[in-house]
Amino acid sequence: MAVSGRFVALLAVAIVPTVLLGSARAGVAWVVVVVLAAGLDVLLAADPRAVRIERRMPHLARRGSATEGTLVLANDGRRPLRALVRDMWEPSAGHEPNRIRMTVPAGERRVARVRFTPFRRGRRASTGVAVRSTGPLGLAARQAVLAAPGELVVTPPFRSRRHLPSRLARLRELDGETTLQLRGHGTEFDSLRDYVRGDDVRSIDWRATARRQDLVVRTWRPERDRRVVVVVDAGRAGAGRVEDEPRLDTAIESALLLGALATAAGDRVDLVVLDDTVRDRVHGATRTDVVRRFGERLALAEPGLAATDWSAVPGVVDQVTTSRAFVVLLSSLDSVGASADLLAVLPRLTRRHAVVVTSIADPAVERMASGEPEPDHDGPERRGGRVSRLPVGSGAERDVYRRAAAERTLLDADGVGDVARRAGAEVVRGDPTAVPPAVADAYIRAKAGGRL
């Protein structure tokens, strides 16, 4: 049972006769009348347990984007339902409106539209729907929580999608609209066409020329149907926050952009989510479903506490393909100690595959190393419009130590990157917004150079 503000206001009215008449009897009588009216109101209210709940909503929603759904209430009771309905979603689901007032006649149903604007990826769930049925007097209500399980999988925002059109245009220059006249590494036969003035004579197909009694040239295109294996590091290295987001989110954005680009080029893309074991995988995603399948799997990826088992990567890649592949390790190269397992496995991978390793740089560390003030910090002392680099007081001494630590961090990352390059891998380093397009550019370079 729940009481309304009207019930409380009527109880407060009992103060008036008590003060004016100087006796509590009139007040007590008024309170008894109000309580009895509230009890009658509860008896006349519709039974909330006679309400059936039906959800009509999508299974997937993109983080930061609005998605609409409906909530259907069917009144199977004999009395009209005057209800305040609250759908009990997690706050991160961005569900609104939070409370809905509905009037449902007996034996009928009503539909309420709801909107989801989730701000956190993952699986969001509703524990039920709370229905508060108010009586005709509006003094009290009957309340019940009805079981109506709901689930919404919030996929990554895919902000790197804005880089896709420009990379597809570059890819068409290699693979789609224009063909090559000369055969090179990473190319395959495309078609025959008539010779025109200016064609290279080395591209003439003499057998076809003899059959047709006219000059015919061969055209080539970059090879298709290559294998691309994307390994997302979901270990504890992915939990580090850069620009207020975990590194895992940058790896997810890179995987989505590369998957969309590679499938558009006609290659087959596989996804592996790895920490101390293989947490999830997507095999053989196509151009039409790569973003949906990758997004649905990566939505549930969370960085764990265990270290990533990089020694399992060669075996995982061999399970995908025994041919040469383009392997992308979406992790971060920080220091020799933290990246030792990853560096140890690189020679085994680079012997057979083209390997790209990402390294996510923290802009805050770079600003600290260069002596630039933080956005919320006054920074070094300014003299004559110029920034003074001289230590001034204990605060400046702390800044010197911070700069030294930042320089040490950057030198360690550069050293680990050099070790990875000597092992035969290509290292892509940048801030979280620059890494996804840089990974796509590395794929295009490998495609153009015939390294797939």
Side-chain angles (χ1 to χ4, degrees), residues 63-64 90 92-93 117-124 154-155 302:
R63 174 187 155 194
E90 300 175 36
S92 57
T117 311
F119 55 86
R120 184 179 177 185
R121 64 175 176 82
R123 182 181 283 112
R124 309 273 78 84
V154 183
T155 60
E302 295 292 342

Side-chain angles (χ1 to χ4, degrees), residues 173-245:
E173 295 177 0
L174 298 174
D175 188 26
E177 303 298 333
T178 59
T179 53
L180 307 176
Q181 293 184 10
L182 291 178
R183 183 177 184 178
H185 292 291
T187 60
E188 61 184 4
F189 175 74
D190 181 54
S191 61
L192 296 172
R193 64 170 176 81
D194 293 335
Y195 175 86
V196 296
R197 182 175 297 179
D199 286 342
D200 196 299
V201 294
R202 291 175 293 179
S203 63
I204 297 177
D205 188 322
W206 296 107
R207 292 185 178 179
T209 298
R211 288 195 299 268
R212 296 182 53 181
Q213 299 299 313
D214 198 5
L215 287 176
V216 177
V217 296
R218 293 179 179 178
T219 58
W220 308 87
R221 67 182 182 190
E223 287 182 326
R224 299 179 180 177
D225 203 27
R226 302 292 92 189
R227 300 307 295 258
V228 177
V229 182
V230 183
V231 181
V232 175
D233 182 5
R236 59 189 177 205
R241 301 188 72 84
V242 179
E243 295 287 285
D244 200 32
E245 282 190 351

Side-chain angles (χ1 to χ4, degrees), residues 162-410:
R162 64 181 184 272
H163 300 291
L164 188 58
S166 61
R167 270 62 186 183
L168 289 175
R170 292 173 55 185
L171 201 59
R172 282 192 293 269
E173 295 177 0
L174 298 174
D175 188 26
E177 303 298 333
T178 59
T179 53
L180 307 176
Q181 293 184 10
L182 291 178
R183 183 177 184 178
H185 292 291
T187 60
E188 61 184 4
F189 175 74
D190 181 54
S191 61
L192 296 172
R193 64 170 176 81
D194 293 335
Y195 175 86
V196 296
R197 182 175 297 179
D199 286 342
D200 196 299
V201 294
R202 291 175 293 179
S203 63
I204 297 177
D205 188 322
W206 296 107
R207 292 185 178 179
T209 298
R211 288 195 299 268
R212 296 182 53 181
Q213 299 299 313
D214 198 5
L215 287 176
V216 177
V217 296
R218 293 179 179 178
T219 58
W220 308 87
R221 67 182 182 190
E223 287 182 326
R224 299 179 180 177
D225 203 27
R226 302 292 92 189
R227 300 307 295 258
V228 177
V229 182
V230 183
V231 181
V232 175
D233 182 5
R236 59 189 177 205
R241 301 188 72 84
V242 179
E243 295 287 285
D244 200 32
E245 282 190 351
R247 290 173 174 172
L248 179 61
D249 285 8
T250 302
I252 289 173
E253 289 289 328
S254 303
L256 290 171
L257 180 60
L258 180 60
L261 183 64
T263 52
D267 293 333
R268 289 179 288 175
V269 185
D270 294 83
L271 173 70
V272 178
V273 181
L274 179 72
D275 50 12
D276 57 340
T277 185
V278 176
R279 293 297 175 186
D280 213 337
R281 64 171 63 195
V282 175
H283 180 68
T286 62
R287 183 174 184 176
T288 57
D289 64 1
V290 60
V291 175
R292 179 186 60 80
R293 293 179 63 186
F294 275 27
E296 189 171 0
R297 298 295 185 179
L298 293 172
L300 308 178
E302 295 292 342
L305 298 178
T308 303
D309 183 15
W310 290 108
S311 62
V313 173
V316 171
V317 175
D318 289 341
Q319 292 175 8
V320 173
T321 178
T322 57
S323 304
R324 183 175 177 83
F326 184 73
V327 180
V328 182
L329 307 180
L330 298 175
S331 182
S332 188
L333 301 176
D334 297 323
S335 63
V336 175
S339 306
D341 294 340
L342 173 57
L343 295 175
V345 81
L346 284 180
R348 296 172 55 189
L349 289 172
T350 55
R351 277 197 296 266
R352 293 180 52 192
H353 309 289
V355 181
V356 172
V357 184
T358 61
S359 180
I360 302 172
D362 191 344
V365 175
E366 295 178 348
R367 287 194 299 267
M368 190 182 300
S370 62
E372 297 180 11
E374 294 294 326
D376 57 347
H377 187 266
D378 293 337
E381 182 183 0
R382 291 186 176 270
R383 297 178 180 175
R386 300 179 61 184
V387 178
S388 173
R389 304 297 184 188
L390 297 178
V392 181
S394 60
E397 292 174 1
R398 287 195 298 269
D399 289 342
V400 169
Y401 285 115
R402 291 192 187 99
R403 289 183 60 185
E407 289 284 0
R408 180 73 267 173
T409 301
L410 296 179

